[in-house]
Amino acid sequence: MKGFEHLTDAWVILMRWLAECKVEHVVVGPAGGAIRGDAGAEGPLAIVPAPYDRNLDRVAQALLAAHTRLRTADGAGATPVRFSAASLAAGEHWKLTCEIIYDLDVEMVPAPRYSELLYEANRVEVESGLTVEVASLETLEHGLHVPLADEEPEIRITRGPAVHQRSS
């Protein structure tokens, strides 16, 4: 499509494949940046799948069919992986290689965080008949799709010693 000529063939092939597998997800990372206009973006296609069981089952089945392996830094010795919805949900960030040549990162976030991510995302048609949800520019710039620590944030308010003022 006009305006998306800079998207790599690998990204488009993977996005088309995910759509055919009916995997609900939001595109993040370099591909999300490229869809939003960063023509120099490079790296794997990174997605955040919808974290409900039926969708995670579709993700797991698709990854199994694509002979997915864990991606290593040097690309050698990639380990085959058999996913299930439970194993996907238990992980936070999966660096994968599909069919030996396509790199895919799957980032898991809790359901409330996914809802926020999806709410702020935009649906974009990257090629005729292929639309994807793309994270907001703010999310992409700040990596807000990455989950925070498991602990809930805590605010503590303490008072110092009382200071008495004299009245005149």
Side-chain angles (χ1 to χ4, degrees):
M1 295 269 300
K2 186 172 173 82
F4 297 110
E5 297 87 359
H6 59 280
L7 297 182
T8 69
D9 290 342
W11 289 342
V12 174
I13 289 167
L14 284 171
M15 287 187 281
R16 194 178 313 125
W17 169 69
L18 289 166
E20 289 170 3
C21 293
K22 298 183 180 2
V23 171
E24 294 177 37
H25 64 282
V26 175
V27 177
V28 295
I35 292 169
R36 294 253 180 220
D38 181 0
E42 295 179 352
L45 176 69
I47 65 163
V48 178
Y52 61 89
D53 287 342
R54 214 170 338 172
N55 189 60
L56 293 178
D57 281 336
R58 287 193 293 268
V59 174
Q61 290 171 6
L63 294 174
L64 179 63
H67 308 287
T68 305
R69 297 176 170 273
L70 289 177
R71 190 171 72 242
T72 59
D74 61 3
T79 308
V81 182
R82 292 186 58 90
F83 284 106
S84 66
S87 64
L88 280 168
E92 289 182 12
H93 186 95
W94 298 96
K95 293 181 178 190
L96 307 170
T97 297
C98 301
E99 297 289 349
I100 314 297
I101 57 173
Y102 299 119
D103 290 342
L104 174 69
D105 287 359
V106 178
E107 300 180 20
M108 300 303 302
V109 297
R113 173 94 24 136
Y114 180 79
S115 295
E116 291 173 21
L117 180 67
L118 184 60
Y119 177 77
E120 294 176 353
N122 294 101
R123 183 168 281 260
V124 177
E125 186 174 25
V126 295
E127 72 172 16
S128 183
L130 176 61
T131 58
V132 294
E133 296 287 344
V134 183
S136 71
L137 191 54
E138 180 183 27
T139 298
L140 293 169
E141 287 175 352
H142 301 291
L144 299 176
H145 57 280
V146 179
L148 299 174
D150 291 337
E151 297 177 16
E152 291 291 322
E154 182 178 321
I155 298 175
R156 291 185 183 177
I157 300 173
T158 59
R159 297 180 192 259
V163 177
H164 297 284
Q165 294 182 349
R166 293 186 196 173
S167 315
S168 351

